[in-house]
Amino acid sequence: MKRSRQKYAVALGLVLAVCGSALAEEKTAQLGEVVVTATRDEVPIEQVGSSISVITAKEIEQQQKRTVADALRMVPGLDLVRTDSFGGTTAVFMRGAKSEHTLVLIDGIQINDPSSTGGGYNFSNLTTDNIERIEILRGPQSTLYGSHAIGGVINIITKRGDGKLKGFLSAEGGSFATARESAGLNGGNDLLQYSLSVSRLDTGGVSAAGERYGNVERDGYQNTAVAGRLGITPTTNSEIDLTLRYDRSRTSVDNGGGAGKDDPNHVMKSDELFFRTQGWLSLFNGLWDQKLGVSFSDISWRDDNDRDSAHPNDLLRSSFHGQSVKLDWQHTLKLHKTTTLVVGAETTEENGKSDYYSESMFGPYTSTWDERFARTTGVYLQDQLNLFDAWFSTLGVRVDDHSKFGTEATYRFTTAYLIKQTDTRLKGSYGTGFKAPSLYQLYSSYGSPDLKPDKSIGWDVGVEQGLPFMKTTLGATWFRNEYSQMIDFDMTTWKYTNVAKAHTHGLELTAALQPVDDLTLKAAYTYLETRDDISGKQLVRRPKNKASFDINYSFLKKANINLGVIYVGTRYADTANTQKMKDYMLVNLAGSYDLTKNLQLFGRVDNLFDRQYEEVAGYGTPGIGAYGGVKVSF
């Protein structure tokens, strides 16, 4: 315990030294910026009692992040783990919660995979094309978002066109035989708004099984992404919004990580299609707003492995397919200048199936579950209070009915208090969450139809302080989450059961400075304690210490340079806590220069100091990589 405190003190001192002082809870956005995820209504970020972070399109462009997973790595409280660096399975752990405990949305479309083991989302193929902003909401959020939001919400908001037609063409290439091409356009007027982007990525990759273990075959990756959004505004008080996204990928993988795992014939393919249409209507001079929407998600993927000379007995054929359809209707009632009521109802039907066949030296093995369905219907109510333009609170309740396990009720309370004289903000939240069993956990050969949902209770308290010196924002947030009756695989019965219990707690610190108009500095540090309450061990792949630092400088009105640093501390690779993984630090550098108004050169270097590291024990990661390209705008 003493050693942990010493490490925490050292890491905290580094953050404070870099940033000029202070404990910092995140205020990456400027005062007055509006967010929508925290309350399902547009509110200024300083009025939000929950812990929320925002990543803007400008930051994504400055850092030259090509995937959402890479863009999320700088966010406090989030840990991302990927097998292989290009297209490998990618999971996110929010404040130590399971990966399937995070709800992922694109313009209101739930993109969690109904056919996956836990119902989580694999971030491996999600690119940053056509993204306007990403809002990351931490803590139990089931009151507004139902199942999957037991640990938090990642809400991806795409670009909405505006003004005269604009477009771009871009091409880049670099290390590991990488080539990427992209194009996009957007525009609009009072009646019609539109945006569209297309991209293609090809890379030779690195060995998924790790070159350091003697594996020499490189595992390539291809990805094609199409993203579009269309808005129609027939009157000033109504609009129709349509979102479409399609991702297709092919990933060469190995038979695991470590020595002897090379396999040139092992390939994973995936197709992801997301669609939503939504109508908005405002009545009585904006006192009553309502949204009615329909979302559709379709995710399918295959994992195939042919025999070869090195593996004459191995054969794998597997397919997984999941769909979800959601109908939602939300009403926002401005009852008084102090009170806003948000009322809504939604119903979601998920279906999934899988077919698995393999052969090995031990003989053939088959595991198949036919198409199964589950429906969840929920109603929610939230009251937003604004007292004296200084004290902002929400109180919400929700009831969900699941077609298999029955009814579940959740609630949540948040508050934020502004002391304008000192530019201080106090905030906190307390709430409950639940996660319904996945279709695989219910109906596969390892499943049980009697499973109950995971449950959680979580709270956080924080303080945020603004300082006039170099436009500094500082703060800190302490959090704790407790998880009960969690679904886990029981090795004695070879079935999923409600046997697991765990808790997490920690501290999130961030700081933001702007010494001059064109220079910004941001830092974040997360101290995380996790515990499996049954075994007493730490949860796997959750580091106790994580820190990030970002500096961005624009100069000459034409050039921009960005330096990003990520530190990930030691963590365990196994549930028994016998294999500890080394800590690592990555430095990434990106820059751009506008040759003309319509022509830009850009380039970046990832893993600048060529560090060797692993995110998952035994799996390969890339060394230093350099990339450059050109972008033409019109």
Side-chain angles (χ1 to χ4, degrees):
M1 183 68 178
K2 184 177 180 181
R3 183 175 296 178
S4 296
R5 288 177 178 172
Q6 290 174 343
K7 288 183 178 179
Y8 162 61
V10 170
L12 175 58
L14 288 173
V15 172
L16 300 183
V18 170
C19 296
S21 67
L23 306 175
E25 180 3 68
E26 187 159 62
K27 192 178 181 181
T28 59
Q30 299 201 1
L31 188 66
E33 182 176 5
V34 170
V35 293
V36 297
T37 312
T39 63
R40 297 188 73 144
D41 185 28
E42 295 182 352
V43 295
I45 195 170
E46 67 269 19
Q47 298 179 10
V48 174
S50 302
S51 295
I52 188 168
S53 303
V54 178
I55 302 171
T56 65
K58 183 178 180 180
E59 291 171 324
I60 292 173
E61 183 177 4
Q62 290 172 343
Q63 298 168 8
Q64 296 183 32
K65 300 302 184 185
R66 304 310 184 207
T67 67
V68 171
D70 287 337
L72 292 172
R73 290 185 184 276
M74 306 288 280
V75 177
L78 259 65
D79 295 299
L80 281 95
V81 175
R82 179 163 52 197
T83 57
D84 190 12
S85 61
F86 304 100
T89 301
T90 306
V92 60
F93 304 111
M94 189 176 294
R95 287 181 171 175
K98 289 184 176 182
S99 59
E100 61 260 34
H101 287 170
T102 297
L103 175 67
V104 187
L105 303 171
I106 297 179
D107 290 339
I109 309 167
Q110 179 177 311
I111 65 173
N112 292 59
D113 184 1
S115 71
S116 65
T117 302
Y121 180 69
N122 176 9
F123 280 87
S124 60
N125 301 310
L126 187 60
T127 66
T128 54
D129 293 284
N130 212 45
I131 290 177
E132 179 62 31
R133 57 196 283 115
I134 306 173
E135 297 182 0
I136 303 98
L137 186 62
R138 300 184 288 280
Q141 308 296 332
S142 291
T143 300
L144 287 180
Y145 293 99
S147 180
H148 293 293
I150 187 172
V153 177
I154 296 175
N155 186 20
I156 299 165
I157 301 168
T158 62
K159 293 182 178 179
R160 185 181 177 91
D162 184 35
K164 66 179 183 179
L165 174 65
K166 301 175 287 293
F168 73 90
L169 297 171
S170 176
E172 64 180 281
S175 300
F176 314 111
T178 299
R180 183 178 185 271
E181 306 83 29
S182 62
L185 57 87
N186 71 84
N189 51 40
D190 292 341
L191 177 62
L192 191 68
Q193 306 85 41
Y194 54 90
S195 65
L196 176 68
S197 69
V198 180
S199 71
R200 169 73 182 189
L201 171 65
D202 296 87
T203 179
V206 298
S207 172
E211 292 181 4
R212 72 181 69 180
Y213 301 103
N215 302 296
V216 297
E217 181 250 340
R218 290 193 171 188
D219 295 292
Y221 173 66
Q222 296 86 42
N223 177 281
T224 301
V226 180
R229 184 172 177 178
L230 177 66
I232 304 172
T233 311
T235 64
T236 57
N237 67 327
S238 66
E239 66 180 27
I240 300 171
D241 204 23
L242 297 95
T243 298
L244 175 68
R245 183 177 182 100
Y246 175 70
D247 294 277
R248 186 171 194 175
S249 69
R250 184 185 187 278
T251 310
S252 296
V253 297
D254 289 325
N255 295 335
K261 298 297 184 179
D262 252 349
D263 194 325
N265 300 317
H266 200 164
V267 176
M268 292 185 66
K269 299 178 182 179
S270 76
D271 287 271
E272 301 180 357
L273 175 65
F274 309 117
F275 174 77
R276 178 174 173 84
T277 179
Q278 173 182 284
W280 169 81
L281 178 65
S282 181
L283 301 173
F284 307 114
N285 294 321
L287 297 180
W288 177 18
D289 290 352
Q290 53 182 305
K291 298 177 183 178
L292 178 64
V294 178
S295 303
F296 174 75
S297 168
D298 185 289
I299 300 176
S300 61
W301 51 284
R302 297 186 58 88
D303 187 2
D304 295 332
N305 191 5
D306 291 331
R307 296 184 178 91
D308 59 68
S309 57
H311 309 88
N313 298 318
D314 291 350
L315 177 69
L316 173 63
R317 292 288 183 269
S318 67
S319 63
F320 303 83
H321 184 212
Q323 288 184 338
S324 67
V325 179
K326 182 172 76 171
L327 173 66
D328 55 272
W329 193 11
Q330 177 179 308
H331 303 262
T332 303
L333 305 169
K334 296 177 173 59
L335 303 179
H336 187 265
K337 65 179 181 180
T338 63
T339 304
T340 299
L341 205 62
V342 177
V343 184
E346 56 188 31
T347 182
T348 304
E349 182 176 275
E350 296 181 327
N351 68 80
K353 61 181 180 180
S354 72
D355 190 4
Y356 184 97
Y357 175 80
S358 67
E359 294 179 6
S360 68
M361 60 183 297
F362 303 104
Y365 173 75
T366 301
S367 177
T368 300
W369 51 291
D370 297 328
E371 188 170 28
R372 294 285 190 162
F373 297 81
R375 177 179 291 276
T376 305
T377 300
V379 293
Y380 57 89
L381 170 67
Q382 175 187 263
D383 189 15
Q384 299 174 228
L385 297 176
N386 177 349
L387 301 178
F388 318 113
D389 283 329
W391 188 9
F392 308 92
S393 299
T394 68
L395 177 61
V397 294
R398 181 187 182 106
V399 177
D400 284 278
D401 182 73
H402 189 272
S403 58
K404 196 62 183 176
F405 66 77
T407 301
E408 188 68 34
T410 53
Y411 61 88
R412 181 169 174 80
F413 168 76
T414 73
T415 191
Y417 184 71
L418 306 181
I419 305 175
K420 297 180 181 179
Q421 296 85 345
T422 59
D423 197 12
T424 303
R425 184 167 77 104
L426 307 174
K427 68 185 188 68
S429 68
Y430 183 93
T432 60
F434 83 100
K435 161 66 173 63
S438 70
L439 294 173
Y440 186 90
Q441 292 165 342
L442 286 170
Y443 299 115
S444 73
S445 56
Y446 304 107
S448 172
D450 299 323
L451 287 174
K452 299 177 181 179
D454 297 5
K455 291 187 177 182
S456 77
I457 297 176
W459 57 262
D460 56 24
V461 292
V463 58
E464 186 177 277
Q465 181 63 55
L467 299 174
F469 175 69
M470 294 194 297
K471 298 181 181 179
T472 302
T473 303
L474 309 169
T477 296
W478 180 261
F479 64 87
R480 182 180 178 88
N481 296 292
E482 298 180 1
Y483 303 93
S484 61
Q485 68 179 42
M486 285 198 302
I487 300 170
D488 205 352
F489 189 72
D490 189 342
M491 295 295 293
T492 59
T493 64
W494 282 74
K495 294 284 186 179
Y496 284 98
T497 57
N498 294 100
V499 295
K501 292 178 62 179
H503 72 269
T504 69
H505 66 269
L507 188 63
E508 294 168 353
L509 312 171
T510 63
L513 295 82
Q514 191 173 8
V516 295
D517 289 343
D518 296 325
L519 177 64
T520 59
L521 299 90
K522 298 177 184 178
Y525 168 72
T526 303
Y527 175 74
L528 176 67
E529 286 278 3
T530 66
R531 189 71 59 188
D532 183 321
D533 292 335
I534 304 299
S535 67
K537 304 295 185 180
Q538 292 184 32
L539 301 180
V540 298
R541 299 174 184 170
R542 278 79 154 181
K544 279 191 175 182
N545 299 285
K546 176 192 171 186
S548 63
F549 176 69
D550 181 81
I551 178 170
N552 194 87
Y553 181 49
S554 300
F555 55 99
L556 302 177
K557 297 182 179 181
K558 295 182 178 181
N560 189 87
I561 189 168
N562 182 275
L563 178 69
V565 181
I566 299 175
Y567 169 78
V568 177
T570 58
R571 61 264 180 235
Y572 286 105
D574 60 333
T575 55
N577 288 183
T578 59
Q579 184 181 1
K580 181 175 283 190
M581 300 179 65
K582 294 181 180 180
D583 60 350
Y584 62 89
M585 179 180 290
L586 301 179
V587 179
N588 302 315
L589 181 66
S592 63
Y593 184 80
D594 295 332
L595 286 176
T596 69
K597 180 181 177 181
N598 303 106
L599 181 61
Q600 180 187 82
L601 299 179
F602 60 87
R604 71 182 189 279
V605 180
D606 294 338
N607 193 1
L608 181 63
F609 297 110
D610 199 22
R611 300 301 187 197
Q612 281 196 345
Y613 69 101
E614 291 182 349
E615 295 187 23
V616 179
Y619 283 86
T621 54
I624 185 172
Y627 310 87
V630 59
K631 180 179 180 180
V632 179
S633 304
F634 58 88

